Amino acid sequence: MAKITFITTDNEHIVVEGESGSAMELAVQNGVQGIDGDCGGVCSCATCHVHVAEGDVAKVGPASEIEQDMLELDDNVTERSRLCCQIDVSDELDGIVLHVAG
Amino acid sequence: MSKSALPDPFQDARNTKGFGTVNDQDDPVTMVLGLKDVRKCAHNWKTFQSGGEEVGRIVVPSEQAIRDTRQIPFEVDPPQHGDYRALVEPWFKRPLEDEYKARLATIIDELLDEVLAMDSVEVVEEFSLKLQSRALTLLLNIPYQEAEVWIGWGTHVFRSDDTALDAGKANILYDYIDQQIEKASNQPGDDLYSVLLASEINGKKLTKEEVKGVMILTFAGGRDTVINAVTNTIAYFAEHPQSLARIKAEPEITGKAVEELVRYFSPLTHMGRVVTEDTQVCEHAQKAQSRISLCWASANRDERVFENANEVVIDRKINPHVAFGFATHNCLGATHARQILHILLTALADKVTAIEILDHTDNIEDWDEFKRKVGFDALTVKFN
């Protein structure tokens, strides 16, 4: 079981819990504002953009090349940007914090 | 050759020079073909604009000659685009609500039951057109019976059998929308016309012309695209019953299947932009005021990004397709279209064991050097 905290652009903190699936799916199930996941998680719509908290980057890992190509054209991209549909939930992610990019 | 396959006519041009050229009513269009190039141009709305002064010119073939109403928010660029988009977006996200899904499922179930009882069905007219029209009553939130009027118009709003741009047919739609706006203005309800008429942007009420612009887009944008997607889906499952069996056995892949079918079909081949400054596209000089188009159909077969790009991989996990466009002007109706396909796949898997293709006429688009099969003009099948 992993606890993941989403922080929205309105600074609302939402803690979600899960064992499998993607961080995007957990966010959508829990109504996290700003995470839409329109394409259902196939890296097509870029509506699940997050910035991984500084201390959690190593835990989450880097974006794949295809994901980087998508992020490259996003206005709010930083070196800690990820599409959270591509972040698989596992025990190792327990405690991470993801900021909704907005 | 498989009847349901949609070949990729852009491959050579995409790999050798990255673009193609179409002569559209003596106003040439440079088609951008590679996925990364398409995404970059789509993202760069300042250089490749949608909201130019000449209304209808970004559409290919250009509709300048047959309309002067600006389609909204499609033909408006930032920052005004954001205001319009914010206004209409919540309404176009309603297909995510449970009640909407349930009503859509009822429409699709009833239609499937109808065609399952028939000896043969011409899918385009007797299934896809009906489905699209009936589903649209949900999107507009108006009485179900209204679908009969639109079914009577046939499959194309702007096209007839002998011409790609039929002003007479377009005027039927425009006159109809004008009448509906007047009706809603006199007797407001909870339909999209009334909601738009009551809306404000920056403290100013939307004009009837602006409401008409949103409504034309809603009717035109989701008509042959959805009809093609639904018809192609039926043809695909006719020839790939194992894929239908997988969706029945593994319903959790349905969302991925929808995205993959939309990638493969790419119901809208391309969409144009007007160039605002002298620039380059794929190392090709592009003059200010000329036109480019973003070829979604070609980008979606780019083998530099998609493995087995010309095959339907029904559970494709990474699928960065652009079938609903990309960036600022991505498809407003995508949520509705995705929900239609999702429910259709579920219903087909539940009710249908086999589909047999009895007859078919391909719908081939002619883009000069490229001839693209986008779907079917007619497809007769037997559902079992």
Side-chain angles (χ1 to χ4, degrees):
Chain A
M1 183 68 76
K3 272 190 186 177
I4 298 176
T5 303
F6 283 90
I7 301 178
T8 68
T9 50
D10 295 338
N11 205 29
E12 190 187 353
H13 291 230
I14 300 163
V15 182
V16 303
E17 284 185 45
E19 288 176 336
S20 61
S22 71
M24 180 279 288
E25 286 166 336
L26 287 182
V28 170
Q29 283 158 17
N30 290 278
V32 174
Q33 192 71 35
I35 302 291
D36 295 337
D38 290 343
C39 75
V42 295
C43 202
S44 160
C45 68
T47 60
C48 64
H49 182 185
V50 293
H51 297 143
V52 179
E54 207 160 350
D56 296 330
V57 170
K59 267 189 188 174
V60 175
S64 70
E65 193 186 333
I66 284 177
E67 192 184 329
Q68 278 174 24
D69 284 346
M70 292 289 289
L71 286 165
E72 185 190 34
L73 295 173
D74 199 290
D75 294 335
N76 296 319
V77 71
T78 73
E79 69 280 7
R80 291 187 280 114
S81 282
R82 291 292 311 268
L83 294 177
C84 64
C85 73
Q86 301 301 307
I87 300 176
D88 288 330
V89 175
S90 69
D91 289 349
E92 284 87 76
L93 294 192
D94 190 39
I96 66 164
V97 176
L98 304 174
H99 296 261
V100 176
Chain B
M1 178 86 178
S2 142
K3 297 180 185 94
S4 67
L6 303 180
D8 168 24
F10 305 105
Q11 184 174 27
D12 284 347
R14 184 174 61 238
N15 290 333
T16 52
K17 49 181 187 168
F19 67 94
T21 310
V22 187
N23 176 30
D24 174 18
Q25 301 158 75
D26 297 323
D27 183 7
V29 180
T30 302
M31 289 174 102
V32 183
L33 301 175
L35 179 69
K36 284 191 188 185
D37 291 326
V38 164
R39 279 210 296 232
K40 275 187 185 148
C41 293
H43 183 68
N44 185 359
W45 55 266
K46 283 184 182 159
T47 304
F48 304 109
Q49 71 175 349
S50 297
E53 281 179 24
E54 305 114 322
V55 172
R57 191 174 170 224
I58 59 166
V59 187
V60 190
S62 166
E63 293 169 359
Q64 265 186 290
I66 62 164
R67 76 173 153 93
D68 48 24
T69 298
R70 184 176 294 279
Q71 292 184 3
I72 296 173
F74 168 57
E75 288 174 324
V76 188
D77 280 313
Q80 294 90 342
H81 174 272
D83 295 333
Y84 285 116
R85 183 85 186 203
L87 185 70
V88 292
E89 193 125 56
W91 183 272
F92 282 85
K93 291 272 186 190
R94 285 160 51 252
L96 295 172
E97 295 167 6
D98 286 342
E99 192 202 333
Y100 192 107
K101 283 192 244 181
R103 290 171 67 193
L104 189 51
T106 303
I107 288 174
I108 291 175
D109 280 341
E110 278 178 9
L111 188 58
L112 260 184
D113 289 343
E114 244 174 71
V115 296
L116 273 163
M118 294 161 72
D119 287 336
S120 72
V121 187
E122 197 291 291
V123 175
V124 178
E125 291 276 343
E126 294 180 317
F127 187 79
S128 305
L129 171 62
K130 287 184 181 177
L131 198 167
Q132 188 273 339
S133 299
R134 291 173 183 175
L136 186 60
T137 64
L138 285 183
L139 190 62
L140 305 192
N141 201 27
I142 60 170
Y144 184 67
Q145 294 72 15
E146 195 68 11
E148 293 306 317
V149 175
W150 312 328
I151 292 168
W153 291 344
T155 48
H156 294 289
V157 181
F158 293 147
R159 289 178 205 164
S160 54
D161 290 341
D162 53 357
T163 171
L165 292 166
D166 187 327
K169 281 198 104 173
N171 284 331
I172 293 175
L173 174 69
Y174 298 160
D175 292 346
Y176 171 84
I177 290 174
D178 282 336
Q179 285 167 15
Q180 300 306 307
I181 289 172
E182 282 310 314
K183 218 169 98 184
S185 172
N186 294 331
Q187 244 185 329
D190 49 8
D191 53 278
L192 180 56
Y193 303 96
S194 304
V195 168
L196 291 171
L197 284 165
S199 295
E200 290 184 357
I201 284 185
N202 300 325
K204 247 182 89 186
K205 275 208 167 167
L206 251 62
T207 64
K208 285 181 183 173
E209 179 70 4
E210 288 172 308
V211 173
K212 188 177 176 183
V214 176
M215 297 309 302
I216 293 176
L217 177 61
T218 307
F219 272 96
R223 193 154 170 95
D224 49 353
T225 47
V226 170
I227 290 170
N228 274 333
V230 170
T231 308
N232 286 333
T233 297
I234 302 297
Y236 170 75
F237 284 124
E239 294 195 320
H240 301 86
Q242 71 281 10
S243 293
L244 199 53
R246 265 200 79 185
I247 285 168
K248 191 177 172 86
E250 303 167 62
E252 65 278 9
I253 70 164
T254 311
K256 291 189 176 73
V258 167
E259 297 305 314
E260 175 64 348
L261 292 171
V262 172
R263 176 193 76 86
Y264 185 79
F265 302 150
S266 297
L268 180 66
T269 301
H270 63 161
M271 183 47 69
R273 298 286 189 264
V274 173
V275 180
T276 57
E277 58 187 347
D278 287 355
T279 185
Q280 284 205 332
V281 172
C282 309
E283 297 170 356
H284 168 75
Q286 197 72 41
K287 288 250 178 250
Q289 287 312 308
S290 68
R291 293 193 296 165
I292 66 163
S293 83
L294 311 169
C295 188
W296 321 115
S298 169
N300 283 340
R301 299 296 179 93
D302 193 331
E303 52 281 89
R304 290 165 292 193
V305 179
F306 300 100
E307 268 180 51
N308 302 318
N310 291 315
E311 287 171 28
V312 174
V313 179
I314 200 76
D315 62 347
R316 193 182 287 274
K317 287 167 189 65
I318 308 276
N319 192 351
H321 70 78
V322 286
F324 289 117
F326 185 74
T328 308
H329 291 287
N330 66 26
C331 176
L332 186 59
T335 313
H336 180 68
R338 282 179 160 122
Q339 202 60 268
I340 288 175
L341 290 173
H342 200 283
I343 291 172
L344 176 62
L345 262 55
T346 304
L348 284 171
D350 184 39
K351 289 174 185 278
V352 175
T353 48
I355 307 167
E356 185 187 350
I357 297 178
L358 304 175
D359 196 15
H360 69 107
T361 310
D362 289 345
N363 176 2
I364 313 276
E365 293 179 343
D366 185 348
W367 304 112
D368 292 347
E369 60 180 307
F370 311 112
K371 311 287 182 255
R372 178 182 186 233
K373 178 178 169 183
V374 67
F376 299 89
D377 284 330
L379 175 75
T380 306
V381 307
K382 164 99 180 97
F383 285 96
N384 290 302

